[in-house]
């Protein structure tokens, strides 16, 4: 993506923030954060091949640590952001070093256990985490005397999202992205080609988990309240479904999947109530059975057919 | 001391449930290598089967139980036929069937929540509610019932694998799918039966535990995790490992809940910590797989 396109995306996504009402702004911000999470998880699962259910727990870790550092420890904002980022990266590293040795579903189960454990700790965390009620009654402190609120805070999220997109796209097209794909498809061959298996896996895990933590930091000030159920395993499943339905390993697919699955409940909610999750489950099974490349795969094959057909 | 003996019975009973769920995983993993995370939901279906058969229709217990297990045999077989087999036969990536089964997990759960609503539903006790004391060991009828049924299931499974030609066919497929197929073993039938048997055993676990905990549409995932922990501890090589793992998980849980000086909320983390530790330190489990040998 060249500079003009990046700039264009920032302008368009930011401009939307100025025309939305309060409720729509709330939905829009959460949508942007979901897309950001999906992009990171797409790199981890779709490109590096690690089915890690911990991604959403890092979202929660980022949110909880920034709030605790700001509100309970009274750190200044820049320092708190740095400290929370370092904390997320350190926890991710501590998990990645042993966990990335596990293959396939064993990694999935170990990280699932970790994210369940995270919720258990949040619930039992007493005054530090606010227990089952979580934390609220905190606000984002002003930066240089300016209080980020309304559209200006949405712009912060837009910048984070576009930054994530650009970083992950650059990485995907670099030697690192190719090393990750090679590892996903055939670890032995990748190792034989000179890819450091352990280091590449750990790096992919730490990097994407830290990005999830940063999205979580932004999330903490969207509702100004955080509690354990938000970061439960349900949303970790939803994230996997977004990637599979959109198209595993494709950035565009991750964006489409996240937008579709986040907005679908708003559209079909009035028709089928809370049973939209059933639709998600059926969609996932259908996609895996019928078009493993997801929606982006359908789009590509339609386009290829249109190009082949005589005009 | 009385306290501890009481705990032994109830911990053994829940250990049996985890062991059954672990056995359901094991039956499917051995021949196919597929970790079916939807077993927890099958247990949940078994529990709701109990609601329909015994609370709504008031069937005699053996009849209702046979009907539930027959239906779950079909559910397990159909799941394999529709979701797993097409993926295996077209050579999809290893994770594809696991992810498809995760999708099915959500489908099963949401269907039950749509049909029965979000509230827990009581399931009657098969033997009524009462206490039984055998020597120093005392516990509820249900606890002893759970232990007896589980022991019978494990004994039957062990005999099946060790003493029947069909069981040896399962083992052969587990050791080498290709060689087994070349020896004339019908892979499709073995895989289909493995999932059907997994459905039956998982449902049995849910049915047995349902009078104690009530049937609830979210009960599947915790059972799936505890069962998987039991499986990882016991190792996937041996049938008895599943029961051993289940008992270890349950005793760890009950003992920390009763005696450890930590807040009760944290005891929920015990199986999770066990799972993480075993996956990292001893992923092959405690029991070594048996050497391959002829019947």
């Amino acid at each position: 993506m060249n500079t003009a396109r990046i700039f264009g995306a920032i302008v368009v996504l930011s401009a939307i923030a100025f025309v939305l009402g309060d409720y729509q702004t709330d939905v829009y911000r959460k949508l942007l954060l979901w897309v950001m999470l999906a992009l990171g998880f797409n790199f981890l699962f779709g490109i590096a091949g690690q089915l890690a259910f911990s991604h959403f727990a890092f979202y929660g870790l980022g949110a909880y640590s920034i709030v605790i550092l700001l509100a309970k420890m009274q750190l200044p904002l820049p320092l708190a952001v740095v400290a929370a980022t370092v904390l997320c990266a350190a926890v991710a590293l501590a998990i990645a070093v042993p966990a990335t040795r596990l293959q396939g579903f064993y990694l999935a189960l170990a990280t699932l256990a970790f994210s369940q454990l995270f919720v258990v700790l949040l619930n039992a965390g007493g005054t530090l985490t606010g227990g089952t009620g979580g934390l609220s009654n905190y606000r984002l402190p002003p930066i240089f005397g300016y209080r980020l609120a309304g559209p200006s805070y949405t712009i912060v999220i837009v910048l984070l999202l576009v930054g994530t997109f650009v970083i992950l796209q650059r990485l995907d097209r670099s030697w690192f992205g190719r090393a990750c794909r090679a590892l996903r498809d055939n670890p032995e061959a990748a190792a034989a080609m000179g890819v450091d298996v352990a280091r590449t896996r750990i790096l992919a895990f730490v990097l994407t988990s830290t990005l999830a933590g940063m999205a979580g930091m932004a999330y903490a000030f969207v509702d100004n309240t955080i509690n354990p159920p938000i970061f439960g395993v349900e949303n970790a499943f939803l994230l996997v479904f977004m990637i599979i339905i959109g198209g595993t390993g494709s950035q565009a697919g991750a964006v489409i999947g996240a937008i579709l699955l986040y907005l679908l409940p708003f559209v079909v909610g009035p028709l089928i109530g809370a049973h939209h999750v059933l639709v998600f489950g059926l969609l996932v099974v259908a996609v895996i059975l019928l078009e493993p490349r997801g929606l982006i795969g359908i789009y590509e094959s339609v386009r290829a057919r249109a190009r082949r057909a005589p005009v | 001391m009385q306290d501890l003996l009481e705990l032994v019975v109830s911990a053994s009973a829940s250990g049996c449930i985890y062991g059954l769920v672990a056995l359901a995983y094991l039956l499917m993993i051995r021949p196919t290598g597929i970790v079916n995370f939807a077993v927890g939901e099958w247990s949940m279906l078994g529990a709701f089967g109990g609601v329909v058969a015994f609370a709504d229709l008031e069937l005699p217990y053996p009849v209702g139980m046979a009907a539930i297990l027959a239906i779950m045999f079909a559910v397990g077989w159909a799941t394999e036929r529709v979701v797993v087999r097409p993926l295996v036969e077209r050579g999809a990536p290893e994770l594809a069937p696991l992810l498809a089964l995760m999708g099915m997990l959500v489908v099963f759960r949401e269907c039950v929540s749509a049909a029965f609503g979000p509230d827990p539903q009581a399931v009657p006790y098969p033997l009524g509610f009462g206490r039984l004391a055998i020597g120093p060991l005392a516990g509820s009828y249900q606890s002893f019932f759970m232990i007896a049924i589980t022991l019978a299931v494990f004994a039957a499974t062990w005999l099946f694998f060790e003493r029947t030609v069909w069981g040896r066919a399962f083992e052969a497929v587990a050791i080498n799918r290709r060689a087994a197929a070349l020896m004339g073993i019908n892979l499709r039938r073995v895989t289909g039966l493995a999932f059907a048997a997994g459905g039956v055993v998982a449902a049995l676990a849910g049915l047995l535990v349902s009078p104690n905990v009530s049937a609830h549409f979210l009960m599947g995932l915790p059972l799936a995790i505890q069962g998987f922990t039991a499986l990882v501890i016991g190792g996937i090589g041996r049938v008895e490992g599943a029961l051993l793992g289940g008992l270890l998980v349950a005793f760890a849980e009950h003992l920390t809940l009763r005696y450890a000086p930590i807040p009760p909320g944290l005891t929920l983390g015990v199986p999770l910590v066990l799972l993480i530790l075993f996956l990292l330190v001893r992923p092959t489990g405690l029991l070594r797989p048996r050497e391959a040998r002829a019947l």
Side-chain angles (χ1 to χ4, degrees), chain A residues 34-80:
Chain A
W34 268 108
V35 173
M36 193 173 156
L37 276 175
L39 284 170
F41 189 65
N42 177 56
F43 196 92
L44 183 61
F45 167 56
I47 294 172
Q50 298 178 26
L51 180 55
F53 285 105
S54 54
H55 204 68
F56 213 81
F58 280 100
Y59 188 60
L61 184 65
Y64 264 90
S65 47
I66 190 84
V67 172
I68 289 170
L69 289 168
L70 277 177
K72 307 243 166 192
M73 315 230 164
Q74 308 289 346
L75 287 186
L77 183 63
L79 199 59

Side-chain angles (χ1 to χ4, degrees), chain A residues 40-126:
Chain A
F41 189 65
N42 177 56
F43 196 92
L44 183 61
F45 167 56
I47 294 172
Q50 298 178 26
L51 180 55
F53 285 105
S54 54
H55 204 68
F56 213 81
F58 280 100
Y59 188 60
L61 184 65
Y64 264 90
S65 47
I66 190 84
V67 172
I68 289 170
L69 289 168
L70 277 177
K72 307 243 166 192
M73 315 230 164
Q74 308 289 346
L75 287 186
L77 183 63
L79 199 59
V81 170
V82 172
T85 311
V86 170
L87 181 73
C88 287
V91 173
L93 185 66
I95 291 173
V97 170
T100 48
R101 283 184 302 156
L102 299 169
Q103 298 290 316
F105 207 68
Y106 289 86
L107 172 72
L109 259 301
T111 48
L112 182 67
F114 163 74
S115 47
Q116 297 270 70
L117 197 58
F118 175 69
V119 174
V120 168
L121 290 177
L122 288 183
N123 277 319

Side-chain angles (χ1 to χ4, degrees), chain B residues 51-128:
Chain B
V51 173
V52 174
F54 308 124
D56 297 347
L57 302 175
E58 298 182 2
L59 294 175
Y61 203 82
V63 177
M65 192 166 175
I68 293 167
L69 297 185
I71 291 169
M72 287 308 296
F73 186 90
V75 168
W77 185 82
T79 306
E80 194 275 336
R81 185 72 193 80
V82 176
V83 181
V84 179
R85 192 179 297 179
L87 292 171
V88 173
E89 291 192 347
R90 79 163 181 240
E94 232 172 275
L95 272 181
L98 309 183
L99 293 169
L101 287 165
M102 244 180 70
M104 288 308 293
L105 180 164
V106 172
V107 171
F108 287 130
R109 192 181 65 195
E110 294 304 316
C111 284
V112 167
S113 121
F116 292 88
D119 299 321
Q121 316 251 335
V123 180
Y125 284 94
L127 305 173

Side-chain angles (χ1 to χ4, degrees), chain B residues 131-139 141 144:
Chain B
R131 279 175 57 81
L132 180 68
I134 300 176
L137 295 171
Y141 284 164
F144 285 106

Side-chain angles (χ1 to χ4, degrees), chain A residues 177-254:
Chain A
R178 277 190 286 274
C180 284
R181 282 175 192 268
L183 265 183
R184 173 196 64 187
D185 295 337
N186 190 337
E188 288 83 10
M193 301 294 282
V195 174
D196 186 331
V197 176
R199 194 178 298 171
T200 310
R201 283 210 174 117
I202 291 169
L203 203 56
F205 187 94
V206 172
L207 185 90
T208 53
S209 300
T210 312
L211 282 173
M214 294 176 81
M217 289 183 224
Y219 173 76
F221 303 98
V222 167
D223 285 339
N224 282 314
T225 172
I226 46 176
N227 51 59
I230 303 176
F231 305 110
V233 68
E234 290 307 308
N235 282 327
F237 272 45
L238 187 55
L239 204 50
V240 180
F241 290 176
M242 284 175 173
I243 302 300
I244 292 174
I245 291 175
T248 313
S250 148
Q251 293 235 51

